[in-house]
């Protein structure tokens, strides 16, 4: 449903957000400009239950999923509040894109689903959403991600500089919950094993 100011009533974005960075924020805010209420879907809410994806095999790797659903929900909410999004204009929900038949349990079918596409997995997600008959709007396509959670997690694991790649609220959240230490410890455990 469109509103008189050109915005739709409800928009939906989604991602794993392992860890929420500047490009995630840019994507989410671009969608928020186009809707009154934004639903942010967190994919792989329980990574142990996510099936393997041929176009994105790393998604199921425990090293690629160090944060819980709750941690990601809290981090995203903090970042969007910091960016000026009102709590009443935002919902953060599980979003099992890996099982598209379940999505209507978490987000309304009459919403507009916003995506960015920069790889085969982005094309696959677009196809899955369109097959559900929902309105899909690709905000932009690019050849390559400029920032990735994989890169940030690698920097955290190695003790490298990562804070410049994330919003201040993400850095504060990571400090509070010792995320960099957790990721470094997991990397060390994998090396020892």
């Amino acid at each position: 449903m469109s509103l008189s100011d050109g915005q739709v009533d409800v928009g939906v974005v989604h991602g794993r957000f392992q860890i929420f960075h500047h490009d995630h924020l840019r994507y989410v805010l671009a969608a928020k400009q186009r809707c009154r209420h934004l639903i942010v879907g967190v994919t792989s809410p329980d990574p142990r239950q996510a099936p393997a994806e041929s176009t994105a095999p790393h998604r199921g790797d425990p090293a690629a999923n160090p944060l819980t659903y709750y941690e990601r929900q809290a981090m995203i909410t903090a970042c969007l509040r910091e960016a000026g999004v009102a709590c009443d204009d935002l919902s953060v929900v599980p979003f099992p894109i890996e099982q598209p038949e379940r999505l209507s349990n978490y987000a309304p079918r009459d919403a507009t689903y916003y995506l960015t596409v920069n790889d085969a997995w982005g094309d696959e997600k677009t196809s899955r959403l369109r097959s559900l008959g929902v309105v899909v709007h690709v905000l932009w396509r690019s050849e390559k991600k400029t920032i990735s959670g994989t890169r940030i997690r690698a920097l955290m694991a190695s003790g490298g500089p990562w804070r410049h790649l994330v919003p201040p609220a993400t850095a504060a959240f990571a400090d509070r919950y010792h995320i960099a230490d957790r990721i470094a410890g997991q990397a060390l455990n994998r090396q020892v094993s």
Side-chain angles (χ1 to χ4, degrees), residues 6 13 17 57 118 124 132 140 193:
V13 294
F17 305 120
N118 51 37
E124 175 62 26
L132 297 174
W140 62 80
S193 296

Side-chain angles (χ1 to χ4, degrees), residues 1 8-12 35-39 108 110-114:
M1 167 174 31
V8 299
D9 189 32
V10 178
V12 179
C35 63
R36 181 193 60 75
H37 188 88
L38 181 66
I39 297 172
D110 62 350
T112 299
Y113 289 70
Y114 297 100

Side-chain angles (χ1 to χ4, degrees), residues 6-190:
Q7 289 186 320
V8 299
D9 189 32
V10 178
V12 179
V13 294
H14 67 278
R16 263 184 327 126
F17 305 120
Q18 290 273 13
I19 192 164
F20 196 82
H21 54 66
H22 287 307
D23 280 358
H24 289 143
L25 183 61
R26 184 169 69 105
Y27 159 51
V28 172
L29 292 178
K32 179 62 185 98
Q33 290 177 341
R34 293 165 170 81
C35 63
R36 181 193 60 75
H37 188 88
L38 181 66
I39 297 172
V40 179
V42 177
T43 65
S44 301
D46 183 347
R48 296 167 302 169
Q49 294 181 353
E53 296 290 348
S54 62
T55 56
H58 70 284
R59 292 177 56 77
D61 182 352
N65 295 286
L67 280 73
T68 66
Y69 166 78
Y70 170 76
E71 289 170 331
R72 291 179 284 160
Q73 175 271 331
M75 179 177 48
I76 292 162
T77 301
C79 287
L80 294 178
R81 289 182 72 190
E82 179 179 75
V85 178
C87 286
D88 289 348
D89 296 340
L90 174 69
S91 299
V92 181
V93 302
F95 197 82
I97 189 69
E98 306 84 1
Q99 299 161 323
E101 68 281 359
R102 296 179 55 209
L103 294 177
S104 64
N105 291 311
Y106 302 99
R109 295 182 59 79
D110 62 350
T112 299
Y113 289 70
Y114 297 100
L115 289 91
T116 59
V117 176
N118 51 37
D119 56 19
W121 175 237
D123 287 328
E124 175 62 26
K125 293 185 300 180
T126 302
S127 176
R128 286 180 189 185
L129 289 171
R130 286 190 172 136
S131 75
L132 297 174
V134 300
V135 175
V136 175
H137 179 84
V138 175
L139 293 169
W140 62 80
R141 289 181 168 275
S142 60
E143 293 296 314
K144 186 177 174 184
K145 294 179 180 183
T146 56
I147 302 173
S148 73
T150 301
R151 177 176 169 213
I152 294 167
R153 291 188 307 273
L155 289 167
M156 288 177 155
S158 69
W162 56 269
R163 293 174 186 281
H164 65 288
L165 300 171
V166 301
T170 294
F173 182 88
D175 290 343
R176 179 176 177 195
Y177 290 94
H178 310 286
I179 302 297
D181 293 339
R182 181 189 318 162
I183 291 171
Q186 289 170 345
L188 183 61
N189 287 340
R190 281 190 306 279

